Amino acid sequence: MSRSTRVPGPINNQTTMKQRREFIGKSEWISIDVTDGSWTEHDPNSTLVSKAAAAAGMTISLESDRDGDDWTTGAQDCVRWFKPLTTSAGSLMKWEDEFGVEFLVQRMSTTANDENFLVACLGDDPTDDTNQKWAGGKVVNDTNGNLQLRYGGDQDLNLITGDAADLGSTPKCYINCVLQIADDRSSDALEPICVVGGMLDSDSDIIGGNMGTNGQNIGWNNSNNVYLVIAAGWEDSGASSDSSAVWKAWYRVTHSFSKMDPPYVPGGGKNPRGGVYGQQR
């Protein structure tokens, strides 16, 4: 466009070279693929048989002889994948930062309804097998083809269940970890965490009454890195064969610079440091 033909007007939203501008208040879902090379695998008991990823989702096969491997409030001895959480600028996120993380997990199919599961959570020490601090949720296939969502963390877990007849063939579970955004204190030994859980049917509609919250107090080390953790294992023993479940999973991050104490600007004005910024890949 030449100078003589250009129509005067705002250029705020224009980009070049396929670049995108990050807008205040926006956060995008990022697909989780534990095979893409960015995740570190930790499999202390050789639970994993194989893993693969395609447009249909992640296929994770688990060894039936390891059907005692679980992810609970007190033990985390199944296979998991982890990576540090980063800001939109690429720097490592610390627990002292002001952020929140949402997960979305969708069960696409399963060939062994022996209570295999997928965990999506935040962790403090992702290779700890017995005493890990974590917050998030565990999506469980039960023996009847129904779905369970256990959400909370290493202190306790709440339970939501959904019948296969109501869920459809590809239900989803929503997990929201409301962390430092909701706490404006700097001297806490224990940081209050609210984990919100919800179950959605194949049409992405909330199943009636299947949403709730779980509040916990966890003593994070503020200077430690925050890790995204995806884990797979067995909710109960007695597996009849190796599992072969297909999952889709996503996460998105919000980064707040004012927590729950934004400045009040008369006239509906915006404060540039009071917005919420989404993380981009």
Side-chain angles (χ1 to χ4, degrees), residues 5 19 29 39 77 88 95 99 102 125 160 178:
T5 60
Q19 293 175 343
W29 287 110
W39 298 81
D77 54 4
S88 57
W95 290 106
F99 67 97
E102 298 166 88
D125 185 4
I160 291 175
V178 186

Side-chain angles (χ1 to χ4, degrees), residues 135-153:
K138 177 168 65 170
V139 182
V140 183
N141 294 311
D142 77 6
T143 54
N144 298 314
N146 301 325
L147 203 66
Q148 301 175 4
L149 172 59
R150 299 181 182 275
Y151 62 98

Side-chain angles (χ1 to χ4, degrees), residues 68-98:
D69 296 344
D70 202 352
W71 188 280
T72 66
T73 57
Q76 302 84 34
D77 54 4
C78 60
V79 63
R80 84 291 310 262
W81 299 267
F82 62 90
K83 67 178 177 180
L85 185 64
T86 60
T87 67
S88 57
S91 59
L92 297 178
M93 193 84 79
K94 307 290 186 181
W95 290 106
E96 63 189 0
D97 292 327
E98 304 166 17

Side-chain angles (χ1 to χ4, degrees), residues 23 29 61 76 111 128 136 158-159 173 211 219 221 224 257 262 276:
F23 294 93
W29 287 110
S61 178
Q76 302 84 34
T111 58
D128 192 336
N158 288 357
L159 173 64
C173 287
M211 178 172 276
N221 184 335
N224 282 4
F257 295 103
V276 176

Side-chain angles (χ1 to χ4, degrees), residues 48-126:
L48 183 68
V49 175
S50 64
K51 64 182 185 294
M58 296 181 293
T59 301
I60 298 176
S61 178
L62 304 175
E63 173 61 58
S64 61
D65 291 342
R66 297 301 313 176
D67 61 2
D69 296 344
D70 202 352
W71 188 280
T72 66
T73 57
Q76 302 84 34
D77 54 4
C78 60
V79 63
R80 84 291 310 262
W81 299 267
F82 62 90
K83 67 178 177 180
L85 185 64
T86 60
T87 67
S88 57
S91 59
L92 297 178
M93 193 84 79
K94 307 290 186 181
W95 290 106
E96 63 189 0
D97 292 327
E98 304 166 17
F99 67 97
V101 178
E102 298 166 88
F103 294 101
L104 192 63
V105 177
Q106 185 173 23
R107 183 190 70 187
M108 302 305 295
S109 65
T110 179
T111 58
N113 290 324
D114 294 304
E115 303 197 11
N116 56 300
F117 63 76
L118 191 79
V119 169
C121 70
L122 301 176
D124 190 60
D125 185 4

Side-chain angles (χ1 to χ4, degrees), residues 178-190:
V178 186
L179 290 162
Q180 311 292 41
I181 287 177
D183 181 15
D184 204 36
R185 292 169 291 178
S186 60
S187 59
D188 293 342
L190 297 176

